Amino acid sequence: MGRFVITGSFSPQAIKGFMDSPTDRWETIDALIKAAGGRLENYYITTGPSDFLIIATGDDMKKVLPAIMAAAGSGSLSKVQTQEAFTTADFKEMQKAAAGIRSNFVPPGS
């Protein structure tokens, strides 16, 4: 199961909507990701270059991307970025796999 970190910014339209009708968006985001076949792990409002950070899981990006597209396509978000995240155990397995295939790589100029 993939874990995805999604960040982005709210549009001025979204910020106006928050001020006009304050709301906790957890349930909305949760329902959207579930509709795409994923699961919401965490949803944070952040400071800095992004306004929010979402951590979601799904079989692969094909399960999570439709939810991101639906939200971004509404005009309420911008600068949306998605990264896949791996546990340290997953990364250890990748290291072992790399060690097993490194003899197949010939560096440039060799």
Side-chain angles (χ1 to χ4, degrees):
M1 172 122 355
R3 177 170 284 114
F4 304 95
V5 178
I6 306 152
T7 60
S9 298
F10 296 119
S11 69
Q13 168 192 340
I15 293 171
K16 181 182 181 312
F18 289 139
M19 290 187 296
D20 290 347
S21 181
T23 183
D24 181 337
R25 302 288 290 168
W26 177 278
E27 289 182 11
T28 302
I29 303 303
D30 184 46
L32 182 64
I33 292 174
K34 280 181 183 172
R39 187 175 74 81
L40 178 62
E41 286 191 5
N42 285 297
Y43 173 49
Y44 300 101
I45 303 303
T46 58
T47 60
S50 299
D51 294 331
F52 64 87
L53 181 143
I54 295 169
I55 301 172
T57 58
D59 293 336
D60 59 28
M61 182 58 82
K62 292 177 187 175
K63 294 285 186 184
V64 177
L65 190 56
I68 298 165
M69 291 173 65
S74 73
S76 62
L77 306 177
S78 66
K79 302 178 190 169
V80 178
Q81 296 184 358
T82 305
Q83 299 173 319
E84 188 166 3
F86 303 94
T87 66
T88 56
D90 290 338
F91 187 56
K92 184 176 179 183
E93 291 303 313
M94 291 176 208
Q95 294 170 52
K96 290 177 185 177
I101 64 170
R102 72 175 145 197
S103 64
N104 294 322
F105 178 72
V106 178
S110 296

